[in-house]
Amino acid sequence: MPSGVLVIGEVAQGRLAPITGELLGAGRRLGVPGPLSVLLVGPDPAPLAAEAAALGAERVYLAQSPALPGYWPELYLAAAEAALAQARPAIVLLGHTNIGRDLAPRLACRLGAGLAADCLELALEPASGLLVATRPVYGGSAQAEVVGRAGQLQMATLRPRAFAALEPDPSRRAEAIPLALSFDPAQAALQVKERVAEAVAGVKLEDAQIIVSGGRGLGGPEAFAQLVELAGLLGGAVGASRPPCDSGWVPAHYQVGLTGKLVAPDLYLAVAISGSSQHLAGCSEAKAIVAINKDPSANIFKVARYGIVGDYKQVLPALIAKVRELRGG
Ligand SMILES: Cc1cc2nc3c(=O)[nH]c(=O)nc-3n(C[C@H](O)[C@H](O)[C@H](O)COP(=O)(O)OP(=O)(O)OC[C@H]3O[C@@H](n4cnc5c(N)ncnc54)[C@H](O)[C@@H]3O)c2cc1C
């Protein structure tokens, strides 16, 4: 009888990626009968078992990759299948990240499982114990609750930063279980030839607690220098709506929205962004949106907690000066 939750963890630069803690936190809070397990894949995942335990894992499946460090679909599929065969979970959770978005549908298809993608909330249906996942639909204009089928493995990908990790407790212990993998890199249909790391100065957009984002109303690439300055002062990251990316003012990976990054920071400062549904699909889970726009009827003000009606050319320098003053120079 399947029981418990299996989290497909992620490792970045030899540490647990923040999403792993968030998935474990979500798995713990669900209260599903059975153990909370996590799968860690990497060239040397064993030292991370204690960190995973501190974040709530009771069993840590360790898949040592012989291949390049990093994501390789067939390697992760083999590792996930090996972990599933041992853990026999009722529910599998992945991040709605580059890895999870690629791996989850492949795995769900192989296992004949139901998959709810980009979930913002999870609960259990009291009578059946089935997973009830809340996820955005129609580009984020509405949310739907989806329920798995009885007797079927239930899978979900969770939006980064939509779920809180548990407070780490180093006294928590987990059983570490090494997995034997039947993965032969030479036989893999997909060969990873090279990895090119995205050059990110400062905080990664998906992990940032504060994001300062700019839109077409900035009028050109020069104004982004002020956004970079403000984000630097606040310890945040810079994002953008689609037009500045399409116009080459900023790199494409700055884009927030339906076809860009999905972010859920504590503070999202939208500067000269109108608030299209496609943009809001990527940032509406922010705890607070603050908008600066010269058009009082701009849609962004409908979702903003605080709004400043004005020209960014006047508002931003004043804001930067005030933040500088509050930070003591
Ligand atoms: C399939 C599809 C997918 C898409 N995916 C995305 C996506 O992922 N992300 C995304 O962002 N968009 C996406 N779009 C595009 C989206 O529809 C909008 O066109 C886009 O979000 C608009 O960007 P914007 O708000 O920066 O520009 P605009 O809508 O042009 O708004 C500019 C705003 O700046 C304000 N402004 C102008 N000058 C100033 C000033 N001096 N001071 C203050 N305010 C000023 C204006 O009042 C206006 O509100 C997608 C579209 C499609 C069809």
Side-chain angles (χ1 to χ4, degrees):
M1 180 76 178
S3 68
V5 176
L6 174 68
V7 161
I8 309 293
E10 292 188 25
V11 177
Q13 277 99 42
R15 297 285 316 270
L16 291 186
I19 187 68
T20 308
E22 294 164 26
L23 293 166
L24 287 167
R28 252 302 164 97
R29 289 190 183 91
L30 265 179
V32 179
L36 176 61
S37 311
V38 62
L39 166 67
L40 299 178
V41 188
D44 187 19
L48 301 173
E51 199 184 333
L55 290 167
E58 291 156 306
R59 288 185 193 162
V60 185
Y61 292 96
L62 300 165
Q64 192 170 9
S65 67
L68 289 172
Y71 180 63
W72 189 333
E74 284 148 303
L75 165 69
Y76 271 64
L77 271 175
E81 284 190 309
L84 270 146
Q86 290 209 27
R88 303 200 59 233
I91 294 172
V92 178
L93 300 179
L94 302 94
H96 198 69
T97 55
N98 288 343
I99 292 179
R101 285 197 223 193
D102 186 79
L103 181 65
R106 292 171 188 262
L107 195 57
C109 184
R110 281 202 186 185
L111 302 168
L115 171 65
D118 191 20
C119 300
L120 303 172
E121 283 172 40
L122 294 180
L124 290 184
E125 206 173 59
S128 62
L130 287 171
L131 185 68
V132 183
T134 306
R135 58 180 303 274
V137 288
Y138 303 119
S141 320
Q143 293 190 351
E145 278 189 357
V146 294
V147 186
R149 265 198 213 126
Q152 196 180 37
L153 177 69
Q154 302 167 80
M155 289 179 57
T157 62
L158 311 192
R159 182 177 294 194
R161 293 189 46 79
F163 295 81
L166 301 179
E167 200 54 47
D169 176 354
S171 71
R172 287 195 189 111
R173 294 281 173 268
E175 185 188 355
I177 306 164
L179 293 174
L181 291 193
S182 59
F183 172 72
D184 177 2
Q187 298 298 318
L190 197 149
Q191 294 294 327
V192 181
K193 295 282 185 201
E194 192 192 358
R195 288 185 195 284
V196 182
E198 195 178 84
V200 181
V203 197
K204 258 175 87 181
L205 200 52
E206 304 89 309
D207 299 335
Q209 289 176 12
I210 297 178
I211 295 176
V212 183
S213 226
R216 181 168 19 217
L218 290 178
E222 301 76 23
F224 271 90
Q226 290 181 60
L227 270 56
V228 170
E229 187 182 355
L230 184 56
L233 284 169
L234 296 170
V238 176
S241 63
R242 183 155 141 179
C245 302
D246 285 354
S247 308
W249 302 348
V250 287
H253 62 79
Y254 277 38
Q255 187 180 321
V256 171
L258 188 63
T259 45
K261 301 242 162 90
L262 307 174
V263 297
D266 295 338
L267 171 65
Y268 188 82
L269 181 59
V271 187
I273 291 178
S274 61
S276 68
S277 61
Q278 293 89 357
H279 186 73
L280 295 178
C283 62
S284 57
E285 289 307 307
K287 292 205 178 74
I289 294 178
V290 175
I292 302 172
N293 199 302
K294 67 176 185 187
D295 174 6
S297 64
N299 194 51
I300 192 81
F301 289 127
K302 293 197 182 131
V303 291
R305 184 169 311 170
Y306 303 103
I308 305 169
V309 178
D311 189 326
Y312 81 86
K313 293 185 194 115
Q314 276 141 28
V315 179
L316 266 188
L319 197 57
I320 290 170
K322 191 71 194 172
V323 174
R324 226 179 246 297
E325 183 193 315
L326 292 170
R327 294 263 147 141

